[in-house]
Amino acid sequence: MDTAIEVKDLTKTYGSLTAVNNISITIKRGEIFGLLGTNGAGKTTTLEMIEGLRRPDSGAISVCGLDVIKNRKDVKEIIGVQLQNTSIYEKLSLEELIELFGGYYKKALPTSEILEAVSLSEKRKSYIGQLSGGQKQRIALALALVNDPEVLFLDEPTNALDPQTRRSIWEIIEVLKAKGKTIIMNTHYMEEAERLCDRVGIMDHGEIIALGSPAELIAGQKTESLSGKDATLENVFLILTGKTIRDF
Amino acid sequence: MSILAKQIRIEMILFLRNRQNLFLTLAFPVMMILLFGAVFKDQIWGGVSSINFLVPGIVVMSLMMVCMNNNAVKIVDERTRGIYRRLFLTPLRRETLLLSNIVVRYLVTIVSALLVIAVGIGVYGADIEGSRFLFWLILTLGSLTFISLGFFLTSFAKNTSSVMTLCMAVLFAFMFLGGCFWPTEQLPESIMPLCKALPSYHLNAAFRMVVLQNAGGIDVIKELPVVIGWFVVSFILAVKFFKWE
């Protein structure tokens, strides 16, 4: 079967606010799919519904053929999740933490392999509380990898990181893609989406307003208003979502 | 090793690596028995030497601190930091996490009680007799009661400072009105009905019956309906209102 994630007619409302409005997405196995959008566009809510953290008001979600709501336990075994600002036991060493998480799953990768994958082998005896921001981000990624998941959810994996650390995380993600993992990620960095994602969906007001490969989206706007060095995903994003700041 | 055993081990490691926990649950009760023992040295209260009276009282204080205050703060801290949210993305079951917390609290309660008794005997020559089985039984009931009450109290608190304040208010009322540090006969008659409604009052009374009068099982059990009531009600309320996230 070729489909990793199938989302159909997904809706979530909070009071009078429709956070996610009837969206459908199909993500192929081995694909990196990026969800882009302004703050409050519904990206995190969408991810959290697919992860099973939030219950949708309506719609259907399946991950590797399993219904996320009905088969919650089985889905947990095959997905890995990196949350925005993961906070975890500060007084455990990296090794202890990875080992602990590995114990929660039916199958888990060896701790040394996980730490190697995120280049934190030398820090294995350090407490989580002693790590830098970039190292914590990598540990959050490592926790998503312990069960060798088929599908990975990355919620702003390089948020607030320096360019070097950001690139190191990109490299980790590219290695995961080469291993055939399906990855769905949120990001505010268009450069990141252009480099990593096979396809992106741009969300606005809870709806997907554009869907395609970064190159397709750029090509779609090219004739109208973009040319030369302005032909970037960032400019496409600004044209589609407007230039007004979306704080609320 | 089962997931539960691994989780208990990790919860214990985390407990021991936190100095604040160690101080509040182990060092502080010892300091209190040393302090009160010195202040009331050689006094006779209701026909018994003050130290024999104080040891059970400070055991009850430590039990409340370990099971209610310190645990409630820990739970709210982990909850507000999003640790449970992350943990429950894995197949870890809520029951496993809950049970591991309870087991650690129970073990620490026993260690803390033994420390207080050892210091009472070793430093002030306290005369602790009576049935060890009954002592253990009362300790277990008290521990489960205050663990339940602590879990229930976390449901009112949005952050650690609010849960700390709430638990502190409850602890102080329970300690002073429950007769941890002096006989409640010294309090005004008018507030006795309130004192007798508190679980700490009856835990103190039951412990003292065992260690001072070598009381039997029937007499001790007659002292405990109020505590059992607190346990049942706290347990039901905790189940109903406690939230992991």
Side-chain angles (χ1 to χ4, degrees), chain B residues 74-85:
Chain B
K74 169 205 188 271
I75 299 286
V76 173
D77 178 49
E78 292 182 344
R79 178 166 70 200
T80 52
R81 286 179 29 219
I83 290 179
Y84 300 139
R85 193 177 154 77

Side-chain angles (χ1 to χ4, degrees), chain B residues 179-211:
Chain B
C180 284
F181 308 131
W182 46 72
T184 44
E185 290 78 51
Q186 294 178 4
L187 297 170
E189 189 61 35
S190 54
I191 61 166
M192 281 313 286
L194 176 62
C195 297
K196 286 182 177 170
L198 301 181
S200 51
Y201 177 93
H202 296 280
L203 285 173
N204 276 321
F207 274 134
R208 284 172 186 144
M209 282 168 76
V210 174
V211 302

Side-chain angles (χ1 to χ4, degrees), chain A residues 26-39:
Chain A
T26 304
I27 299 169
K28 292 196 294 279
R29 271 185 201 260
E31 193 174 30
I32 301 190
F33 185 88
L35 267 182
L36 314 180
T38 53
N39 286 323

Side-chain angles (χ1 to χ4, degrees), chain A residues 96-154:
Chain A
E96 288 168 328
L97 184 69
I98 303 284
E99 209 119 306
L100 177 73
F101 268 64
Y104 296 151
Y105 293 94
K106 285 188 189 128
K107 75 173 168 80
L109 293 173
T111 300
S112 56
E113 195 177 315
I114 302 280
L115 288 170
E116 191 68 37
V118 295
S119 320
L120 284 173
S121 301
E122 289 117 70
K123 290 274 171 189
R124 66 185 187 280
K125 300 277 182 208
S126 309
Y127 284 172
I128 307 300
Q130 299 166 331
L131 300 182
S132 69
Q135 290 167 336
K136 276 188 182 152
Q137 205 93 338
R138 276 184 280 159
I139 258 299
L141 190 53
L143 290 179
L145 301 178
V146 289
N147 57 332
D148 196 18
E150 313 234 351
V151 179
L152 271 157
F153 296 83
L154 311 178

Side-chain angles (χ1 to χ4, degrees), chain A residues 61-73:
Chain A
I61 311 161
S62 71
V63 172
C64 297
L66 296 166
D67 185 302
V68 166
I69 295 161
K70 283 189 208 130
N71 302 66
R72 177 106 179 89
K73 272 190 77 176

Side-chain angles (χ1 to χ4, degrees), chain B residues 56-113:
Chain B
I58 302 225
V59 166
V60 172
M61 180 205 80
S62 98
L63 184 156
M64 293 193 286
M65 290 184 71
V66 173
C67 298
M68 181 173 66
N69 289 47
N70 190 241
N71 195 36
V73 170
K74 169 205 188 271
I75 299 286
V76 173
D77 178 49
E78 292 182 344
R79 178 166 70 200
T80 52
R81 286 179 29 219
I83 290 179
Y84 300 139
R85 193 177 154 77
R86 181 64 189 89
L87 289 180
F88 293 136
L89 280 166
T90 75
L92 175 68
R93 293 161 58 92
R94 285 167 163 72
E95 298 81 354
T96 307
L97 189 59
L98 180 67
L99 201 55
S100 66
N101 270 287
I102 294 173
V103 169
V104 168
R105 288 295 140 180
Y106 181 57
L107 294 176
V108 176
T109 304
I110 291 174
V111 172
S112 181

Side-chain angles (χ1 to χ4, degrees), chain B:
Chain B
M1 208 170 16
S2 75
I3 295 178
L4 176 63
K6 281 184 199 162
Q7 193 66 31
I8 291 171
R9 185 178 151 267
I10 285 291
E11 293 282 350
M12 194 50 108
I13 288 174
L14 287 165
F15 176 85
L16 294 172
R17 284 181 189 167
N18 183 320
R19 287 203 196 104
Q20 202 182 333
N21 286 345
L22 294 178
F23 176 77
L24 281 174
T25 61
L26 302 173
F28 187 71
V30 167
M31 284 162 58
M32 291 298 274
I33 193 71
L34 287 172
L35 178 74
F36 278 82
V39 170
F40 299 116
K41 208 170 172 25
D42 302 328
Q43 289 194 16
I44 302 292
W45 290 344
V48 297
S49 103
S50 61
I51 188 68
N52 292 352
F53 184 91
L54 281 167
V55 167
I58 302 225
V59 166
V60 172
M61 180 205 80
S62 98
L63 184 156
M64 293 193 286
M65 290 184 71
V66 173
C67 298
M68 181 173 66
N69 289 47
N70 190 241
N71 195 36
V73 170
K74 169 205 188 271
I75 299 286
V76 173
D77 178 49
E78 292 182 344
R79 178 166 70 200
T80 52
R81 286 179 29 219
I83 290 179
Y84 300 139
R85 193 177 154 77
R86 181 64 189 89
L87 289 180
F88 293 136
L89 280 166
T90 75
L92 175 68
R93 293 161 58 92
R94 285 167 163 72
E95 298 81 354
T96 307
L97 189 59
L98 180 67
L99 201 55
S100 66
N101 270 287
I102 294 173
V103 169
V104 168
R105 288 295 140 180
Y106 181 57
L107 294 176
V108 176
T109 304
I110 291 174
V111 172
S112 181
L114 291 176
L115 265 178
V116 169
I117 294 168
V119 172
I121 295 172
V123 178
Y124 297 112
D127 223 355
I128 301 297
E129 293 170 346
S131 157
R132 283 178 198 176
F133 171 74
L134 285 175
F135 197 93
W136 167 80
L137 196 72
I138 301 165
L139 196 67
T140 302
L141 175 65
S143 178
L144 293 176
T145 303
F146 282 99
I147 289 170
S148 306
L149 187 57
F151 270 101
F152 171 55
L153 291 178
T154 64
S155 45
F156 293 107
K158 284 212 156 56
N159 54 49
T160 47
S161 62
S162 61
V163 78
M164 223 180 274
T165 310
L166 183 63
C167 288
M168 205 54 102
V170 175
L171 176 73
F172 271 67
F174 281 20
M175 280 191 313
F176 294 123
L177 298 176
C180 284
F181 308 131
W182 46 72
T184 44
E185 290 78 51
Q186 294 178 4
L187 297 170
E189 189 61 35
S190 54
I191 61 166
M192 281 313 286
L194 176 62
C195 297
K196 286 182 177 170
L198 301 181
S200 51
Y201 177 93
H202 296 280
L203 285 173
N204 276 321
F207 274 134
R208 284 172 186 144
M209 282 168 76
V210 174
V211 302
L212 302 177
Q213 297 158 18
N214 200 2
I218 308 277
D219 291 331
V220 170
I221 286 166
K222 278 188 193 152
E223 187 62 45
L224 294 174
V226 173
V227 185
I228 294 167
W230 273 85
F231 169 58
V232 170
V233 172
S234 302
F235 184 83
I236 291 169
L237 291 173
V239 168
K240 194 162 159 55
F241 292 106
F242 178 70
K243 291 245 161 25
W244 285 106
E245 287 164 43

